[in-house]
Structures are given as structure tokens and as C-alpha cells.
């Protein structure tokens, strides 16, 4: 049973009289990691939020292969800056399990295991707010992955982190991918896109300029805009 593909049909998001996304059509397949690449302001976050259902489009539809309520239970979202609640790390990771009906004991045991996997065992009883930036993002990832989602959306999850935290997080993501979680990640970081992507959707000014296998994209994108972005020119 799979919730993919996800199909976006004629999606448009207008804010303050301006079209910030679309119209775009996109099919997210049940295959390797999809990276949504583009400069700041291109509409990457908006696109991911529409996919996950936390931004309502002005026009168009998003369709999963199963009813929405079912699809909602099999996906998670990691924000650029983690949202913090006044909970301990362990409670935070256990929460998605308890709301899905696990007993507190089962949820805590699984959460402890998940914290171990991301290297945060020693911090399980600390409040999330006292953790470092990298630790907070690893905690957000542990929480997102604890339910073994079929699809994980990530909005520039390492944009404000140092190299070491970035490497650790990418290793956690690679592990999740190899265990059956489809990654859909927004980034403006070319190096990260090269390391992670199987497929690139290149976004500029709210439009999908190219959507192609990563190997083709990096071998030579079709559009001048993507070529310029790849060369490191400032594209807007
Ligand atoms: N709620 C909003 N109201 C008005 N403009 C917005 C809103 N959210 C985003 N935007 C604008 O839409 C554009 C795309 O934003 P965003 O999706 O965050 O791009 P990206 O993630 O690629 O940087 C930007 O120009 C941003 O300023
Ligand atoms: Mg963004």
C-alpha cells in the first residue's frame, strides 16, 4: 500500500494580489529522493507546504493515491527552523505515536530507540529548547521519522547548520531513504542537491522550469536559467 504518487494539478497560490506559485503541475513518484531546487523566493517552501496540505492553494488540486486522511498519517514535514514545544526530547518524539494510539510505554520505548538512532540518547530528558541548532534539527527528524512515514518533506533542513550537523543529518536521511521513506526536500544548496537528489524539480519565480532526473540536470540542464544557477550565477 502506497500513498504515492502525489499529483498536483493546476496548483496556484496567490498572496497579497501576487501569484507566488504556479500554475504548476507535478507528479511525485514512488522513487528516489526528489529535490526542489531554486533560489530564495522561488516558491520552494510554498510548493512543499501545498504538497503536505498545510498551505491551501488558491486554485488547483493535490491528490494522493489514497484518501487524504490516510495519506496524512503516512507523511511528515521538517521545517527549516524546528517548532519547539515545552516538552522533553523524549516526550516530543513519543507524541506522534501516542496520538496514533500507542500506549505511553510503547511510545516511550520506540522514541528512546529513535533518539538513539539520531545520536541524542544523552539528551532524552532535556527540554528541546536547550538543545543546539543541530541537535534541535536532529530531534525534529527523530520526531518526523518515528512513525516510519512513507513520505518526508524537508524544507531546507540544514540551511542554518554547520558542516558537521549537515553531514549527520544527511546520513540520517540516507538511512531513512534506504528504509523506504521517500524524501522530498527543498534546498537552494547545489552541493546538497547533488548529494541527495535522484530527481530535480527546478523552481524559479513560482514556476517549475525543469523537472528531470538529477543525472540529466547536472549533466546539462535544458534551460538558460538552470544553467546559470548551476554555474553559480545569481538567478532571480
Ligand atoms: N504569506 C505570504 N504573503 C505574501 N507573500 C508571501 C507569503 N509567503 C511567501 N510569500 C512570497 O512568496 C515568494 C515565495 O516564497 P517561498 O515559497 O517561501 O520561497 P522559497 O522557499 O523558495 O524561498 C517569496 O517572494 C515570498 O516573499
Ligand atoms: Mg523557503
Amino acid at each position: 500500500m502506497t500513498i504515492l504518487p502525489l499529483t498536483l494539478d493546476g496548483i496556484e497560490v496567490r498572496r497579497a494580489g501576487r501569484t507566488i506559485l504556479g500554475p504548476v503541475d507535478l507528479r511525485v513518484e514512488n522513487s528516489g529522493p526528489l529535490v526542489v531546487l531554486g533560489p530564495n523566493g522561488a516558491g520552494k517552501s510554498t510548493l512543499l507546504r501545498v504538497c503536505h496540505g498545510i498551505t491551501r492553494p488558491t486554485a488547483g488540486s493535490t491528490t494522493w493515491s489514497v484518501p487524504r486522511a490516510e495519506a496524512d498519517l503516512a507523511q511528515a514535514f521538517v521545517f527549516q527552523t524546528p517548532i519547539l514545544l515545552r516538552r522533553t526530547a523524549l516526550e516530543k518524539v513519543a507524541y506522534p505515536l501516542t496520538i496514533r494510539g500507542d500506549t505511553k510505554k510503547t511510545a516511550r520505548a520506540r522514541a528512546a530507540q529513535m533518539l538513539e538512532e539520531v545520536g541524542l540518547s544523552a539528551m532524552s530528558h532535556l527540554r528541546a529548547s536547550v538543545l543546539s541548532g543541530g541537535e534541535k534539527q536532529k530531534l525534529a527528524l527523530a520526531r518526523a521519522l518515528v512513525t516510519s512515514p512513507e513520505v518526508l518533506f524537508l524544507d531546507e533542513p540544514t540551511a542554518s547548520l554547520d558542516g558537521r550537523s549537515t553531514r549527520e543529518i544527511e546520513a540520517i536521511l540516507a538511512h531513512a531513504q534506504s528504509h523506504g521513506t521517500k524524501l522530498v526536500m527543498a534546498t537552494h544548496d547545489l552541493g546538497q542537491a547533488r548529494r541527495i537528489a535522484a530527481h530535480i524539480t527546478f523552481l524559479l519565480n513560482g514556476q517549475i522550469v525543469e523537472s528531470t532526473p538529477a543525472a540529466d540536470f547536472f549533466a546539462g540542464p535544458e534551460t538558460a536559467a538552470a544553467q546559470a544557477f548551476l554555474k553559480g550565477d545569481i538567478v532571480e
Side-chain angles (χ1 to χ4, degrees):
M1 191 56 176
T2 169
I3 65 172
L4 291 166
L6 163 66
T7 308
L8 274 61
D9 191 14
I11 289 292
E12 275 186 72
V13 177
R14 289 192 281 274
R15 292 285 182 269
R18 194 163 75 86
T19 300
I20 62 172
L21 180 69
V24 297
D25 299 324
L26 181 67
R27 207 174 137 92
V28 180
E29 303 282 356
N30 188 9
S31 55
L34 166 65
V35 167
V36 178
L37 184 66
N40 285 328
K44 303 181 298 296
S45 297
T46 306
L47 178 64
L48 255 55
R49 294 174 64 94
V50 167
C51 286
H52 188 52
I54 48 179
T55 286
R56 187 182 286 272
T58 315
S61 63
T62 56
T63 315
W64 296 89
S65 76
V66 297
R68 172 58 57 109
E70 214 175 300
D72 284 349
L73 287 172
Q75 56 181 291
F77 197 104
V78 171
F79 296 89
Q80 181 170 347
T81 311
I83 300 166
L84 292 175
L85 299 171
R86 266 169 296 152
R87 291 205 178 99
T88 66
L90 186 72
E91 287 164 347
K92 199 170 154 67
V93 178
Y95 183 72
L97 296 172
T98 53
I99 60 169
R100 279 167 170 79
D102 282 1
T103 64
K104 212 166 175 182
K105 194 175 166 201
T106 309
R108 283 173 160 263
R110 172 77 188 110
Q113 193 186 348
M114 196 68 226
L115 285 171
E116 170 91 49
E117 280 181 37
V118 302
L120 290 181
S121 285
M123 282 118 189
S124 59
H125 295 293
L126 296 180
R127 286 189 188 286
S129 54
V130 307
L131 301 180
S132 73
E135 288 162 354
K136 280 177 188 158
Q137 199 56 295
K138 275 184 255 176
L139 178 60
L141 259 182
R143 180 188 156 100
L145 289 170
V146 74
T147 58
S148 303
E150 193 187 325
V151 180
L152 176 60
F153 295 102
L154 304 129
D155 190 3
E156 309 223 29
T158 63
S160 52
L161 303 182
D162 62 14
R164 179 174 162 190
S165 298
T166 298
R167 195 160 56 238
E168 289 168 353
I169 283 169
E170 288 184 4
I172 296 165
L173 293 177
H175 184 261
Q177 168 72 30
S178 71
H179 284 72
T181 294
K182 162 90 177 187
L183 307 175
V184 182
M185 174 190 264
T187 187
H188 67 269
D189 178 343
L190 266 176
Q192 185 163 57
R194 279 184 198 275
R195 292 191 294 275
I196 291 176
H199 192 96
I200 297 275
T201 293
F202 181 67
L203 210 60
L204 194 62
N205 296 325
Q207 301 281 340
I208 294 176
V209 176
E210 279 184 56
S211 198
T212 175
D216 296 346
F217 184 85
F218 290 114
E222 290 188 359
T223 61
Q227 284 163 15
F229 188 79
L230 210 52
K231 271 197 339 202
D233 292 351
I234 294 167
V235 176
E236 52 197 348

